[in-house]
Amino acid sequence: MPSITTPGIVLRYANYRDHDRMLTILSPRYGKLDVLSRGCRRPKSALMPASELFVYGEFVCYQQNDHATLSSCTISDTFYPLRLDPYRLTCASYLSALCAAAVQPGEESAELYALLLKGLYYLSYEKDADALETTTAFLLLFADVIGYRPRLSRCAHCRTPLDLANGAPFDIAAGGLCCPMCASRSTFRMSVEDIKWMSETIRSGLKPQKNTGAGTLFDVLRRYVEMRLETPIKVSKLLP
Ligand SMILES: [Zn+2]
């Protein structure tokens, strides 16, 4: 029976039959993997600790007729502190749900995997980091990784170079900032600081965010990303 060994993060699970659970795991090499964790809800099951949300570790699965079944897992982290803070738990659930919506089975996903791992790490262990702002930065970088980096230097409609001295309108459907000529009622005003923050975040990658006011961008970036995914993500309704 062929077996797969892969690092992974549990993105979600669904209880199945009386004692089982179907896990959706993000693997850097295999993308989204659905794996049956058989008997994990029985008392004393060795698979129980690995069959929880956000578990990060090395998963060993065996495969039979298109079905993968978990045989063991060496856990690296469970991001336990998330369980103690409902708001951070909601943010982390949103990060996972975004990855589950974006990644296909068999699709190489190393960049997204690394981004999610950082996001979970900061939400769990960086006590000074602002959870909403860290989630906002994740949204922006997530958009970049899945191929939808917002246009920030030229108009998303007519490609004219933008003068950003006084901020600019952001057009969600068009995919970025736009010039005054192309602005419409459906655009959102962004300040110079917002735009600087976005450029800087794209340049420097995910960092624990320290409440600089960028949380106001959350709603725009959420709409922007969810429109690209063509899926509204339920848990985001609980934020900010
Ligand atoms: Zn324009």
Side-chain angles (χ1 to χ4, degrees):
M1 225 175 285
S3 81
I4 297 175
T5 301
T6 178
I9 302 167
V10 177
L11 297 179
R12 64 181 179 208
Y13 66 76
N15 287 336
Y16 182 61
R17 295 195 287 231
D18 285 347
H19 302 287
D20 305 346
R21 214 167 242 191
M22 187 59 87
L23 312 179
T24 300
I25 295 171
L26 179 66
S27 148
R29 181 162 167 204
Y30 303 106
K32 192 160 73 172
L33 271 176
D34 286 327
V35 178
L36 179 67
S37 179
R38 189 171 281 151
C40 70
R41 291 188 293 139
R42 286 182 195 280
K44 296 183 191 165
S45 163
L47 296 179
M48 184 42 147
S51 305
E52 298 284 353
L53 210 52
F54 314 127
V55 166
Y56 151 56
E58 182 105 328
F59 293 82
V60 181
C61 317
Y62 57 88
Q63 213 152 5
Q64 194 177 25
N65 311 328
D66 293 347
H67 297 295
T69 304
L70 185 63
S71 60
S72 67
C73 172
T74 309
I75 297 176
S76 302
D77 203 337
T78 62
F79 301 107
Y80 182 74
L82 293 172
R83 271 78 177 169
L84 307 174
D85 184 331
Y87 191 73
R88 285 176 181 253
L89 182 67
T90 305
C91 292
S93 303
Y94 186 41
L95 270 43
S96 299
L98 287 167
C99 293
V103 177
Q104 299 305 312
E107 183 184 21
E108 195 272 344
S109 310
E111 223 181 326
L112 210 53
Y113 177 84
L115 183 65
L116 177 63
L117 207 50
K118 268 191 190 176
L120 294 177
Y121 186 86
Y122 295 150
L123 288 171
S124 301
Y125 300 116
E126 290 282 341
K127 290 285 163 246
D128 297 339
D130 183 272
L132 183 66
E133 205 155 306
T134 302
T135 304
T136 306
F138 180 92
L139 272 171
L140 180 61
L141 293 162
F142 174 87
D144 190 22
V145 171
I146 65 170
Y148 295 106
R149 179 190 291 198
R151 287 181 180 276
L152 301 178
S153 55
R154 285 173 179 268
C155 173
H157 285 280
C158 69
R159 307 289 187 259
T160 309
L162 294 167
D163 171 13
L164 301 174
N166 298 308
F170 189 91
D171 189 322
I172 288 175
L177 298 174
C178 56
C179 72
M181 301 293 288
C182 296
S184 71
R185 255 189 280 169
S186 63
T187 54
F188 295 81
R189 190 78 210 159
M190 283 205 178
S191 66
V192 181
E193 290 72 31
D194 291 340
I195 297 166
K196 258 195 206 147
W197 181 87
M198 287 196 288
S199 306
E200 177 55 30
T201 300
I202 288 174
R203 209 171 17 245
S204 62
L206 194 62
K207 294 208 171 116
Q209 299 287 324
K210 299 278 162 71
N211 204 358
T212 56
T216 53
L217 291 175
F218 174 77
D219 193 47
V220 176
L221 290 172
R222 159 179 44 195
R223 291 174 199 224
Y224 175 77
V225 164
E226 292 185 19
M227 182 184 272
R228 279 7 187 230
L229 293 175
E230 295 176 1
T231 329
I233 308 234
K234 248 191 262 166
V235 65
S236 84
K237 304 286 178 284
L238 303 173
L239 295 169

